């Protein structure tokens, strides 16, 4: 019977690996990896840390006892750990060894690290059994750490992890690491494209792109839950949207510096030229060979349309024409959903940010603006979804501060 069990386990691992290779967005992949790792070992909770700039960055969390949806403010924690023997994850990353603890609060004296109880203290959770596994890429490079917490028996009582769990999880982690590394590279390439844009337009920072993308993914998920969309479709769309939304303003690279970097208000003629960034953006994904390309084009084209039909560029006959005239504004659900969502995410972020041409709105002013514009600039259902997840919006803002270097330093010193 154990043999049959192991075959089932193995075939589940294989399916998992196959499926995870199809996913493109890093967060969606981490969600999947944690879910599978926990299913394979019957674990209540877990986290993933990824190596970035020589520190371990907290990157994903599950906890069935504390929260049921993957969408929660803890995902956007900006905690970082040094890669050294002080912490469990740091130890696994620096030595490449797996750590197994029956009780995180009774670490044997010969082990060099200590358990940080701050999450338990803040949340009321009680961490007991733990397995901490390094994520090694094909070239034996350690790209992160997988922490699995509180193995459960059939009665949901916390028990130690078994030897079998260790074997299974190590095998699984090796394969998961390859997929994670690919997804990190995908995100890296996208960030490099945004970097190109940022060099031209100091408003379009990587931080802005990250915030708009994360807001859009979370708003979409809430919208889709409200609508009763199937969970698999939610995951697929959320994944694509997160990447595609990062590229909403890529078309600004086609706008001249004189307009892009103008410190004051644009005159009507300049503003007219600026509006073409939507069409330029859509053209960048001309070949549209993948769902991601197609969605990126859709968002670039539609993120300045308004629910009341007063947005731009409106209905365009042929976006590849030499200088296509702007059309009649798309209205209501004529605007693709992703365009409606990114419009709100982008404007909210632009409002509360300082621009060369304006002072930032206060949070209260921005929220009042969103409420007032519900049904005018914005789809009311999208506005409702935004307010339903407002605590997550705040966590995203804190994670992607304007200057990512200073945000890392802040996280380390706290
Ligand atoms: P952006 O700065 O990222 O702003 C994105 C959108 O946020 C704007 O789209 C607008 O809908 C909203 N927004 C930003 N600031 C404010 C504000 O103070 N009040 C209100 N009500 N809405 C605001 P929009 O207007 O179509 O502009 C698109 C892009 O054109 C802007 O992206 C920015 O790059 C540029 N732009 C727009 N107006 C000016 C300007 O007066 N001076 C300069 N230098 N650039 C401008
Ligand atoms: C942003 O926060 O959206 C860009 C940075 C800035 O405009 O100051
Ligand atoms: C979706 O829910 O898959 C999006 C449909 C749309 O773009 O309106
Ligand atoms: Fe734009
Ligand atoms: Fe933008």
């Amino acid at each position: 019977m154990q043999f049959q069990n192991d075959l089932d386990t193995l075939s589940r691992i294989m399916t998992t690996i196959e499926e995870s290779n199809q996913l493109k967005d890093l967060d969606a992949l981490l969600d999947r990896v944690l879910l599978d790792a926990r299913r394979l070992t019957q674990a209540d909770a877990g986290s993933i840390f990824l190596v970035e700039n020589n520190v371990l960055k907290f990157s994903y969390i599950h906890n069935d006892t504390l929260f049921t949806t993957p969408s929660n403010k803890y995902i956007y924690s900006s905690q970082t750990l040094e890669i050294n023997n002080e912490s469990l994850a740091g130890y696994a990353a620096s030595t490449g060894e797996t750590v197994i603890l029956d009780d995180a609060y009774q670490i044997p004296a010969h082990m060099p690290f200590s358990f940080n109880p701050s999450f338990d203290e803040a949340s009321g959770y009680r961490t007991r059994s733990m397995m901490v596994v390094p994520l090694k890429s094909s070239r034996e490079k350690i790209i992160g750490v997988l922490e699995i917490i509180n193995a459960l028996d059939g009665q949901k009582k916390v028990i130690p992890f078994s030897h079998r769990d260790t074997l299974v999880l190590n095998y699984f982690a090796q394969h998961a690491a390859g997929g994670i590394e690919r997804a990190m590279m995908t995100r890296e390439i996208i960030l490099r494209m945004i970097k190109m844009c940022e060099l031209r337009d100091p408003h379009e920072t990587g931080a802005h792109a990250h915030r708009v993308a994360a807001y859009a993914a979370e708003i979409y998920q809430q919208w889709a839950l409200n609508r009763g969309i199937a969970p698999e479709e939610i995951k697929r769309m959320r994944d694509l949207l997160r990447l595609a939304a990062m590229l909403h303003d890529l078309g600004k690279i086609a706008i001249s510096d004189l307009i892009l970097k103008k410190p004051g208000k644009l005159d009507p003629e300049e503003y007219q030229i600026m509006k073409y960034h939507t069409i330029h953006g859509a053209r960048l994904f001309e070949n549209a060979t993948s769902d991601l390309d197609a969605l990126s084009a859709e968002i670039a084209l539609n993120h300045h349309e308004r629910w009341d039909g007063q947005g731009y560029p409106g209905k365009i006959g042929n976006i590849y024409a030499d200088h296509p005239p702007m059309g009649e504004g798309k209205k209501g659900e004529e605007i693709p959903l992703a365009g409606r969502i990114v419009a709100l995410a982008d404007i909210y972020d632009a409002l509360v940010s300082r621009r060369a041409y304006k002072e930032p709105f206060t949070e209260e002013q921005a929220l009042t603006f969103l409420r007032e514009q519900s049904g005018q600039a914005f789809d009311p259902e999208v506005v409702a979804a935004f307010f339903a997840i407002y605590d997550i919006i705040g966590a995203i803002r804190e994670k992607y501060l304007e200057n990512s270097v200073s945000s890392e330093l802040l996280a380390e010193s706290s």
Side-chain angles (χ1 to χ4, degrees), residues 149-163:
I149 296 167
N150 286 355
L152 300 176
D153 68 9
Q155 279 72 52
K156 304 254 168 207
K157 199 167 127 309
V158 178
I159 54 173
F161 286 98
S162 67
H163 180 59

Side-chain angles (χ1 to χ4, degrees), residues 204 248-249 252 274 277-278 300 303-304 312 346:
E204 292 302 316
H248 66 277
D249 270 337
K252 283 185 180 174
M274 175 59 94
H277 79 277
T278 52
H303 74 279
H304 286 291
Y312 65 90
D346 183 36

Side-chain angles (χ1 to χ4, degrees), residues 252 262 264-266 271 274 304 312 347 355 357-358:
K252 283 185 180 174
K262 182 169 175 174
K265 274 244 159 272
L266 300 181
Y271 189 44
M274 175 59 94
H304 286 291
Y312 65 90
I347 292 179
R355 294 289 198 233
Y357 62 91
K358 65 147 191 78

Side-chain angles (χ1 to χ4, degrees), residues 220 223-224 227 229 233-234 236-237 295 298 333 335-341:
Y220 166 74
W223 176 94
R227 281 276 183 119
I229 307 281
E233 170 61 13
I234 295 182
R236 190 190 70 86
M237 182 68 180
L295 189 65
E298 189 174 276
E333 293 190 358
I335 309 162
L337 174 68
R340 277 142 47 202
I341 290 174

Side-chain angles (χ1 to χ4, degrees), residues 249 271 275 277-279 297-317 319 325-347 373 375-379 382:
D249 270 337
Y271 189 44
K275 287 180 177 175
H277 79 277
T278 52
I279 293 170
E298 189 174 276
I299 289 173
L301 191 64
N302 293 294
H303 74 279
H304 286 291
E305 296 292 352
R306 290 171 50 109
W307 185 253
D308 61 10
Q310 302 301 302
Y312 65 90
K315 294 169 198 164
I316 307 282
I319 65 164
M326 301 245 156
E328 186 196 337
K330 295 176 189 168
K331 200 171 179 177
E333 293 190 358
E334 283 174 358
I335 309 162
L337 174 68
R340 277 142 47 202
I341 290 174
V342 173
L344 185 142
D346 183 36
I347 292 179
Q373 291 292 320
Q376 297 183 61
F378 306 122
D379 175 353
V382 170

Side-chain angles (χ1 to χ4, degrees), residues 240 244 282 284-298:
L240 289 175
L284 284 170
F285 306 98
E286 171 161 28
N287 291 323
T289 48
S290 65
D291 289 354
L292 180 62
D293 287 346
L295 189 65
S296 301
E298 189 174 276

Side-chain angles (χ1 to χ4, degrees), residues 37-49:
R38 289 173 45 237
R39 273 195 194 141
L40 290 167
T41 55
Q42 255 73 255
D44 186 48
S47 307
I48 297 178
F49 290 82

